[in-house]
């Protein structure tokens, strides 16, 4: 078969149709540089494979188009947050209330949790003298001769934490056995206590006694004041520190005298009182 | 009702223990109900039973009544410095006898609080 050679001058403009070109024969060398326009590309025709790495700049994103689905988990670091996230926020404009929320790293384990502000009260309270109590004498207590007698302070003024038993009977407070007229804290730590009584005799002792009678632990004195005077009816104030285990240790105000008979404490509220608070939890 | 401490002292005395040091030999506690023996540390003498202690109730009351008189007198006597002042003025006034103010004061207290 004879070969007919057709020169380009023998082909009229636009004479070679798509049907005259075999499939997959037009190579990139036949495309003029920068001549492939968007009309020549089909919709969604450019895949990730056609894009060079790191080639798409933020200018190619439509404003406001990046949604949460296109951000991988845990990819927003603190460095990506503008200072203005805090400084530019609108002030709450009112006192913080219990229901306000804040974020925290749960146990420093990387899990972000929310919390209501009211939880701060409990947390800070644990470090700020809670539990605490204060009670005053509501009636006289008989202190028998040569007897270390627990002093009843049943006019309870403050019992923050519910650890003071201002009754004449043992009770269960915070799941702990709390002897009568004793403070039985459920938080381990160092506590400060003070108390006072007045007795109509010249010589008597006033003590802060841990676990009187061996109930709740070993009986010990947290503090003891020995009074000896020429005059009776002196008021003695005792104060001291005690470590409490938070699991049953208790403390009471106690008096002791050896006048030979029983003596009642002065029942005025300003001469008979007992109080204390947590200094530092352990 | 006699003090538990008094009955213990009487029990001890009846068993040849002349003195009891409380808070050392014997510890009594009162946790709100009534006094009880918390620790008994007298060598050679057993802790008394409730019945033994009860047997000293009458003697205990008698002893406490007497002690109560002494306590009342002690409270009513003037302070030592005041008594010395009375004695001084009695001496100056040549009344170092039963006519002096010091003697009158002591006698008045004793008469008002007889031992029975």
């Amino acid at each position: 078969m004879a070969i007919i050679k057709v020169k380009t001058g023998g082909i009229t403009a636009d004479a070679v149709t798509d049907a005259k070109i075999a499939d997959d024969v037009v190579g990139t060398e036949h495309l003029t540089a920068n001549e492939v326009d968007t009309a020549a590309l089909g919709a969604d025709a450019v895949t990730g494979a056609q894009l060079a790495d790191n080639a798409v700049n933020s200018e190619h994103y439509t404003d406001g188009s990046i949604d949460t689905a296109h951000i991988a988990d845990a990819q927003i670091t603190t460095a990506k947050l503008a200072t203005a996230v805090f400084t530019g926020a609108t002030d709450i404009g009112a006192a913080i209330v219990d229901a306000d929320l804040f974020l925290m790293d749960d146990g420093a384990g990387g899990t972000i949790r929310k919390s209501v502000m009211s939880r701060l009260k409990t947390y800070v309270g644990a470090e700020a003298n809670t539990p605490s109590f204060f009670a005053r004498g509501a009636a006289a207590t008989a202190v028998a001769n040569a007897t270390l007698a627990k002093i009843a302070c049943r006019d309870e003024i403050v019992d923050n934490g519910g650890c003071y038993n201002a009754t004449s009977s043992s009770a269960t407070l915070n799941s702990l056995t709390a002897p009568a007229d004793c403070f039985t804290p459920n938080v381990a730590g160092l506590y400060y206590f003070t108390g006072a009584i007045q007795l109509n005799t010249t010589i008597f002792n006033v003590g802060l006694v841990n676990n009187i009678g061996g109930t709740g632990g070993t009986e010990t004195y947290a503090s003891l004041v020995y009074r000896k005077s020429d005059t009776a009816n002196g008021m003695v104030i005792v104060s001291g520190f005690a470590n409490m285990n938070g699991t049953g240790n208790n403390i009471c105000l106690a008096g002791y005298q050896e006048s030979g008979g029983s003596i009642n404490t002065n029942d005025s509220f300003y001469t008979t009182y007992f109080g204390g608070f947590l200094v530092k939890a352990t | 009702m006699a003090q538990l401490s008094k009955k213990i002292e009487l029990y001890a005395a009846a068993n040849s223990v002349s003195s009891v040091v409380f808070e050392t030999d014997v510890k009594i506690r009162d946790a709100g109900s009534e006094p009880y023996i918390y620790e008994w540390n007298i060598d050679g003498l057993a802790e008394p039973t409730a019945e033994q202690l009860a047997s000293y109730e009458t003697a205990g009351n008698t002893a406490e009544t007497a002690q109560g008189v002494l306590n009342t007198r002690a409270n009513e006597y003037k302070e030592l410095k005041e008594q010395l002042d009375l004695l001084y003025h009695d001496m100056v006034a040549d009344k170092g006898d039963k006519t002096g103010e010091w003697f009158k004061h002591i006698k008045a207290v004793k008469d008002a609080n007889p031992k029975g």
Side-chain angles (χ1 to χ4, degrees), chain A residues 1 46 115 151-153 176 181 222 229 232 249 262 277 281:
Chain A
M1 186 174 101
V46 178
S115 174
I151 307 300
C153 292
L176 299 175
D181 301 308
S229 173
N249 282 171
S262 179
F277 56 82

PDB file of all heavy atoms in Angstrom, chain A residues 1 46 115 151-153 176 181 222 229 232 249 262 277 281:
ATOM      1  N   MET A   1       0.864  -1.201   0.000  1.00  0.00           N
ATOM      2  CA  MET A   1       0.000   0.000   0.000  1.00  0.00           C
ATOM      3  C   MET A   1       0.886   1.232   0.000  1.00  0.00           C
ATOM      4  O   MET A   1       1.900   1.287   0.714  1.00  0.00           O
ATOM      5  CB  MET A   1      -0.867  -0.026   1.255  1.00  0.00           C
ATOM      6  CG  MET A   1      -1.879   1.064   1.275  1.00  0.00           C
ATOM      7  SD  MET A   1      -2.980   0.855   2.687  1.00  0.00           S
ATOM      8  CE  MET A   1      -2.311   2.018   3.759  1.00  0.00           C
ATOM      9  N   VAL A  46      -8.686  16.388  39.574  1.00  0.00           N
ATOM     10  CA  VAL A  46      -7.349  16.494  40.179  1.00  0.00           C
ATOM     11  C   VAL A  46      -7.376  15.795  41.535  1.00  0.00           C
ATOM     12  O   VAL A  46      -8.057  16.227  42.462  1.00  0.00           O
ATOM     13  CB  VAL A  46      -6.938  17.963  40.348  1.00  0.00           C
ATOM     14  CG1 VAL A  46      -5.573  18.057  41.008  1.00  0.00           C
ATOM     15  CG2 VAL A  46      -6.918  18.654  38.986  1.00  0.00           C
ATOM     16  N   SER A 115     -15.208  21.280  84.519  1.00  0.00           N
ATOM     17  CA  SER A 115     -15.638  21.227  85.910  1.00  0.00           C
ATOM     18  C   SER A 115     -16.401  22.493  86.238  1.00  0.00           C
ATOM     19  O   SER A 115     -16.097  23.574  85.728  1.00  0.00           O
ATOM     20  CB  SER A 115     -14.436  21.101  86.849  1.00  0.00           C
ATOM     21  OG  SER A 115     -14.864  21.182  88.205  1.00  0.00           O
ATOM     22  N   ILE A 151     -15.242  17.123 129.008  1.00  0.00           N
ATOM     23  CA  ILE A 151     -16.091  18.294 129.207  1.00  0.00           C
ATOM     24  C   ILE A 151     -17.106  18.386 128.072  1.00  0.00           C
ATOM     25  O   ILE A 151     -16.733  18.316 126.896  1.00  0.00           O
ATOM     26  CB  ILE A 151     -15.253  19.589 129.255  1.00  0.00           C
ATOM     27  CG1 ILE A 151     -14.140  19.457 130.300  1.00  0.00           C
ATOM     28  CG2 ILE A 151     -16.135  20.788 129.528  1.00  0.00           C
ATOM     29  CD1 ILE A 151     -14.623  19.200 131.717  1.00  0.00           C
ATOM     30  N   ALA A 152     -18.351  18.547 128.422  1.00  0.00           N
ATOM     31  CA  ALA A 152     -19.406  18.637 127.415  1.00  0.00           C
ATOM     32  C   ALA A 152     -19.512  20.057 126.876  1.00  0.00           C
ATOM     33  O   ALA A 152     -19.711  21.000 127.633  1.00  0.00           O
ATOM     34  CB  ALA A 152     -20.737  18.207 128.013  1.00  0.00           C
ATOM     35  N   CYS A 153     -19.343  20.193 125.573  1.00  0.00           N
ATOM     36  CA  CYS A 153     -19.555  21.486 124.899  1.00  0.00           C
ATOM     37  C   CYS A 153     -20.597  21.231 123.814  1.00  0.00           C
ATOM     38  O   CYS A 153     -20.258  20.797 122.708  1.00  0.00           O
ATOM     39  CB  CYS A 153     -18.244  21.991 124.291  1.00  0.00           C
ATOM     40  SG  CYS A 153     -17.013  22.447 125.513  1.00  0.00           S
ATOM     41  N   LEU A 176     -17.480   7.359 110.457  1.00  0.00           N
ATOM     42  CA  LEU A 176     -16.554   7.080 111.548  1.00  0.00           C
ATOM     43  C   LEU A 176     -17.306   7.072 112.873  1.00  0.00           C
ATOM     44  O   LEU A 176     -18.282   7.809 113.047  1.00  0.00           O
ATOM     45  CB  LEU A 176     -15.448   8.149 111.610  1.00  0.00           C
ATOM     46  CG  LEU A 176     -14.557   8.285 110.382  1.00  0.00           C
ATOM     47  CD1 LEU A 176     -13.600   9.464 110.571  1.00  0.00           C
ATOM     48  CD2 LEU A 176     -13.774   7.005 110.138  1.00  0.00           C
ATOM     49  N   ASP A 181     -19.162  14.392 122.495  1.00  0.00           N
ATOM     50  CA  ASP A 181     -18.372  15.578 122.859  1.00  0.00           C
ATOM     51  C   ASP A 181     -16.945  15.539 122.319  1.00  0.00           C
ATOM     52  O   ASP A 181     -16.039  16.142 122.899  1.00  0.00           O
ATOM     53  CB  ASP A 181     -18.340  15.759 124.388  1.00  0.00           C
ATOM     54  CG  ASP A 181     -19.733  15.906 124.962  1.00  0.00           C
ATOM     55  OD1 ASP A 181     -20.491  16.757 124.466  1.00  0.00           O
ATOM     56  OD2 ASP A 181     -20.070  15.161 125.900  1.00  0.00           O
ATOM     57  N   ALA A 222      -2.702  16.020 123.768  1.00  0.00           N
ATOM     58  CA  ALA A 222      -2.218  16.961 122.753  1.00  0.00           C
ATOM     59  C   ALA A 222      -1.642  18.186 123.444  1.00  0.00           C
ATOM     60  O   ALA A 222      -0.699  18.810 122.952  1.00  0.00           O
ATOM     61  CB  ALA A 222      -3.352  17.369 121.820  1.00  0.00           C
ATOM     62  N   SER A 229      -3.087  27.790 142.067  1.00  0.00           N
ATOM     63  CA  SER A 229      -3.220  29.184 142.448  1.00  0.00           C
ATOM     64  C   SER A 229      -3.722  29.291 143.883  1.00  0.00           C
ATOM     65  O   SER A 229      -4.259  28.326 144.442  1.00  0.00           O
ATOM     66  CB  SER A 229      -4.195  29.889 141.498  1.00  0.00           C
ATOM     67  OG  SER A 229      -4.457  31.197 141.948  1.00  0.00           O
ATOM     68  N   ALA A 232      -9.395  30.270 143.916  1.00  0.00           N
ATOM     69  CA  ALA A 232     -10.186  29.322 143.129  1.00  0.00           C
ATOM     70  C   ALA A 232     -10.861  30.049 141.970  1.00  0.00           C
ATOM     71  O   ALA A 232     -10.715  31.255 141.790  1.00  0.00           O
ATOM     72  CB  ALA A 232     -11.231  28.646 144.010  1.00  0.00           C
ATOM     73  N   ASN A 249      -9.307   8.634 114.951  1.00  0.00           N
ATOM     74  CA  ASN A 249      -8.719   9.426 116.037  1.00  0.00           C
ATOM     75  C   ASN A 249      -9.691  10.529 116.414  1.00  0.00           C
ATOM     76  O   ASN A 249     -10.286  11.161 115.535  1.00  0.00           O
ATOM     77  CB  ASN A 249      -7.407  10.077 115.601  1.00  0.00           C
ATOM     78  CG  ASN A 249      -6.233   9.114 115.607  1.00  0.00           C
ATOM     79  OD1 ASN A 249      -5.169   9.452 115.127  1.00  0.00           O
ATOM     80  ND2 ASN A 249      -6.417   7.921 116.132  1.00  0.00           N
ATOM     81  N   SER A 262     -16.638  16.093 143.803  1.00  0.00           N
ATOM     82  CA  SER A 262     -16.959  16.450 142.425  1.00  0.00           C
ATOM     83  C   SER A 262     -17.170  17.958 142.315  1.00  0.00           C
ATOM     84  O   SER A 262     -17.743  18.580 143.215  1.00  0.00           O
ATOM     85  CB  SER A 262     -18.236  15.722 141.991  1.00  0.00           C
ATOM     86  OG  SER A 262     -18.574  16.060 140.666  1.00  0.00           O
ATOM     87  N   PHE A 277      -9.329  23.331 114.125  1.00  0.00           N
ATOM     88  CA  PHE A 277      -9.388  23.321 112.660  1.00  0.00           C
ATOM     89  C   PHE A 277      -8.150  22.649 112.068  1.00  0.00           C
ATOM     90  O   PHE A 277      -7.110  22.525 112.729  1.00  0.00           O
ATOM     91  CB  PHE A 277      -9.509  24.748 112.105  1.00  0.00           C
ATOM     92  CG  PHE A 277      -8.420  25.679 112.556  1.00  0.00           C
ATOM     93  CD1 PHE A 277      -7.182  25.709 111.939  1.00  0.00           C
ATOM     94  CD2 PHE A 277      -8.635  26.540 113.632  1.00  0.00           C
ATOM     95  CE1 PHE A 277      -6.181  26.567 112.368  1.00  0.00           C
ATOM     96  CE2 PHE A 277      -7.643  27.403 114.071  1.00  0.00           C
ATOM     97  CZ  PHE A 277      -6.411  27.411 113.433  1.00  0.00           C
ATOM     98  N   ALA A 281      -3.440  19.163 105.660  1.00  0.00           N
ATOM     99  CA  ALA A 281      -3.777  17.766 105.396  1.00  0.00           C
ATOM    100  C   ALA A 281      -2.513  16.990 105.034  1.00  0.00           C
ATOM    101  O   ALA A 281      -1.556  17.548 104.494  1.00  0.00           O
ATOM    102  CB  ALA A 281      -4.788  17.680 104.256  1.00  0.00           C
TER     103      ALA A 281
END
